[in-house]
Amino acid sequence: MRFLPVNSNSFLVELASLEQTLALHAALEAAPLSGVEETIPAARTLLIRFTPGEPTASALAQIIGRLSLNSSRGPQGPEVIIPVRYRGEDLPEAAELLGLSVQQLIARHSDHEWQVAFTGFAPGFAYMVSDAGFNVPRRTTPRTRIPAGSVALAGEFSGIYPQASPGGWQLIGDTPLSMWDLGREPPALLTPGARVRFVDESRQGATITVAAEIAPPEPEASSAPQALEILASGLQALYQDEGRAGQARLGISPSGALDRGALRRANRLVGNPWGSAVIEITQGGLRARALSPQVVAVTGAPCPVEIRSADGQRFQAAVEQPLALEAGEEIRLGAPASGVRSYLALRGGFAVAPVLHSCAFDTLAQVGPPPLKPGDRLHHAGLPCQAVEQTETAPVTLPTKGDVVTLDFIPGPRSDWFTARSQARLTDQLWQVTDQSNRIGLRLAGAQPLERSITQELPSEGVCSGAIQIPASGQPVLFLNDRPLTGGYPVIGAVADYHLDLAGQIPPGATIRFRAIAPFQEPEGNHD
């Protein structure tokens, strides 16, 4: 085993094979260790997330290093038939990379049985292995959007994208089956251990039965009192809370408010429990009408707040303090002067049904209460409240377009995959936040890309919020809360926990300077 740093509450255990990884995961599942909150298996690694303190990371590593790796993968699961239309845009290139014709690739992919080794990346995304002998490199630059149902190859694995999402796998086809459906039990069609057979729809005489889609139940009408009506939602308005940590077994990342401090301040201002659901508003633009007297608060990105009375009078209100709304009054949020995301809390909370134990909407997984839209009527949850706070003070001044933002980071776990010159370049060079950034991550652009000292494919492994992943293009992606659970490009470091809220408030056009707070690992291979 090899232990690699990730951040202050996580480390990677690197093993020699997928079999050893699954054996170690099985051992930790059978006898959980005190302090370990979650384990995320991948191709050759196990990501260990623990509670900082006792035991320490070093003590946990010593205990884990003594565990047996002789366990088997466990019993095989049911057989699942997947119909495929082999027409993916990367099919010819993937065949050439394998030294096969297109028809030979199709035949080899569909003639072998595959088995789900583990899940990750997104809910319902299964990493399947077989003895087909595939080893396909990922794309040099990940696509920003891959259609749902896309059948793909990467390394030794085959996978199917459950919903439209970014990704770097080679697309060879698509299937009409739904990989993830909250109206189905279990929601994931493919679970660890399942045996999978792909069927080529173009083959003469192929008989394919497609399971009927199960529609999720319609949400019941709330009997709670109505509080607000959404008149305009702006660029994006989502319910967010502290997220759904601990759902890695379903392939789900934590999600939750990108600025946790602003979430908690908003709730404190109106007297709610700190983690109650609020509305996260991107770049302002929200308009809402009070349907009865309410108390609200706006925190996070400081935006102009205007209150309009029922008789048309207007007055400006302040952020970071409680605001009283009378029935019929409107609250309007303008574009913030700095930062990206503002948070609106309602005294007594919003009556919104949690999905998998959280009210957060995950933009990658498409899990959670849906984004708000004009015409939505929001109901009052009636949570027990404390006295409102008079005012709160934001801990930092948020960045604007053109600002340089310094983020501390911990090098690793794959910083030794990069040349010494690139390690220095990460901290010496400024990185601009591009317009392709979102809740999944900040896509960065620098004048000089980062170069590897190790150029081989990296088997998929678990990633954390704040991970600085470097695709083959050499331009970093800084993962945020809606990140994939696993990734297949090396991570050169992870932003320190205390700077994650700030990272979630950096607007496109700003630049980032990374500051290492620990030494880099010595590069392997050819240093430059």
Side-chain angles (χ1 to χ4, degrees):
M1 297 183 195
R2 183 180 176 215
F3 296 88
L4 304 171
V6 173
N7 60 15
S8 60
N9 66 351
S10 303
F11 58 85
L12 274 182
V13 185
E14 184 180 62
L15 298 115
S17 66
L18 175 62
E19 287 71 22
Q20 285 191 357
T21 301
L22 297 178
L24 179 58
H25 183 243
L28 290 171
E29 289 281 292
L33 297 179
S34 175
V36 173
E37 298 178 1
E38 195 167 38
T39 58
I40 302 175
R44 303 287 187 274
T45 59
L46 198 64
L47 178 65
I48 308 292
R49 187 167 62 84
F50 62 95
T51 304
E54 294 293 338
T56 63
S58 176
L60 280 174
Q62 291 181 13
I63 296 170
I64 291 170
R66 294 192 293 267
L67 296 178
S68 171
L69 301 180
N70 296 324
S71 302
S72 65
R73 289 191 189 181
Q76 290 188 335
E79 182 182 59
V80 181
I81 307 299
I82 304 290
V84 180
R85 297 171 288 232
Y86 287 98
R87 57 186 183 181
E89 55 189 290
D90 298 325
L91 184 59
E93 182 180 351
E96 183 178 353
L97 289 167
L98 291 167
L100 303 172
S101 69
V102 167
Q103 288 306 315
Q104 286 173 328
L105 186 156
I106 294 171
R108 188 176 294 186
H109 187 260
S110 56
D111 287 347
H112 286 77
E113 182 179 84
W114 296 76
Q115 186 171 13
V116 178
F118 56 92
T119 57
F121 176 67
F125 192 98
Y127 290 79
M128 294 171 272
V129 293
S130 75
D131 57 1
F134 286 163
N135 194 345
V136 182
R138 290 171 174 79
R139 289 176 54 81
T140 302
T141 302
R143 289 183 172 92
T144 57
R145 187 182 187 278
I146 291 178
S150 294
V151 180
L153 299 173
E156 64 191 298
F157 298 103
S158 187
I160 304 171
Y161 284 81
Q163 64 274 319
S165 64
W169 288 36
Q170 306 281 2
L171 307 183
I172 63 171
D174 59 87
T175 179
L177 295 185
S178 173
M179 296 296 107
W180 175 265
D181 188 342
L182 285 169
R184 181 172 58 205
E185 182 55 44
L189 181 64
L190 301 178
T191 54
R195 295 171 294 118
V196 177
R197 186 165 65 88
F198 295 103
V199 177
D200 181 2
E201 278 197 341
S202 68
R203 286 188 181 180
Q204 187 173 7
T207 301
I208 301 170
T209 301
V210 178
E213 295 291 334
I214 303 174
E218 290 292 330
E220 296 182 5
S222 176
S223 59
Q226 294 185 356
L228 299 174
E229 180 183 5
I230 301 298
L231 303 177
S233 55
L235 183 63
Q236 188 179 69
L238 309 172
Y239 283 118
Q240 293 294 342
D241 54 20
E242 294 195 307
R244 50 179 63 84
Q247 300 293 327
R249 61 185 176 82
L250 295 177
I252 299 177
S253 59
S255 190
L258 288 189
D259 188 339
R260 302 290 175 92
L263 162 79
R264 293 163 186 164
R265 293 198 310 277
N267 279 312
R268 284 199 299 268
L269 282 167
V270 297
N272 288 345
W274 288 8
S276 302
V278 301
I279 302 174
E280 181 183 85
I281 303 123
T282 300
Q283 298 288 11
L286 182 82
R287 290 172 48 213
R289 178 185 295 117
L291 301 175
S292 57
Q294 303 295 336
V295 174
V296 299
V298 177
T299 61
C303 57
V305 178
E306 182 182 87
I307 307 297
R308 293 193 178 188
S309 65
D311 60 5
Q313 296 185 56
R314 307 180 185 184
F315 59 92
Q316 299 299 311
V319 297
E320 305 287 344
Q321 68 179 40
L323 304 172
L325 297 177
E326 297 299 328
E329 288 187 333
E330 292 182 18
I331 182 170
R332 300 187 174 201
L333 275 59
S338 60
V340 179
R341 295 171 176 90
S342 306
Y343 295 84
L344 175 70
L346 174 74
R347 180 169 173 80
F350 294 103
V352 55
V355 178
L356 298 174
H357 312 294
S358 171
C359 297
F361 181 75
D362 186 325
T363 59
L364 174 62
Q366 297 291 297
V367 170
L372 296 174
K373 62 185 185 303
D376 285 348
R377 293 201 164 203
L378 313 186
H379 296 256
H380 193 280
L383 297 176
C385 295
Q386 299 179 346
V388 299
E389 295 283 348
Q390 288 299 312
T391 186
E392 284 275 354
T393 302
V396 295
T397 300
L398 297 182
T400 63
K401 180 178 179 180
D403 282 351
V404 177
V405 184
T406 298
L407 297 179
D408 292 346
F409 77 100
I410 300 169
R414 300 297 177 185
S415 60
D416 58 345
W417 279 47
F418 296 87
T419 65
R421 182 180 299 149
S422 288
Q423 291 180 353
R425 185 174 292 158
L426 177 67
T427 57
D428 295 345
Q429 182 172 265
L430 294 178
W431 301 92
Q432 186 172 54
V433 179
T434 72
D435 290 335
Q436 292 180 311
S437 302
N438 51 34
R439 281 183 51 89
I440 298 168
L442 303 180
R443 287 180 176 260
L444 309 180
Q448 297 292 323
L450 302 186
E451 300 167 346
R452 296 191 198 176
S453 58
I454 299 177
T455 57
Q456 70 191 50
E457 283 287 305
L458 176 70
S460 294
E461 56 191 28
V463 295
C464 64
S465 294
I468 307 167
Q469 188 185 70
I470 313 297
S473 65
Q475 301 292 352
V477 178
L478 170 54
F479 280 139
L480 300 178
N481 290 4
D482 290 359
R483 71 185 191 279
L485 201 65
T486 58
Y489 297 104
V491 170
I492 196 171
V495 171
D497 289 349
Y498 54 79
H499 274 168
L500 288 180
D501 283 2
L502 176 59
Q505 292 282 17
I506 303 177
T511 52
I512 292 174
R513 182 184 299 281
F514 289 112
R515 180 171 60 196
I517 57 174
F520 280 97
Q521 297 169 302
E522 183 71 18
E524 292 188 15
N526 180 11
H527 291 200
D528 289 311

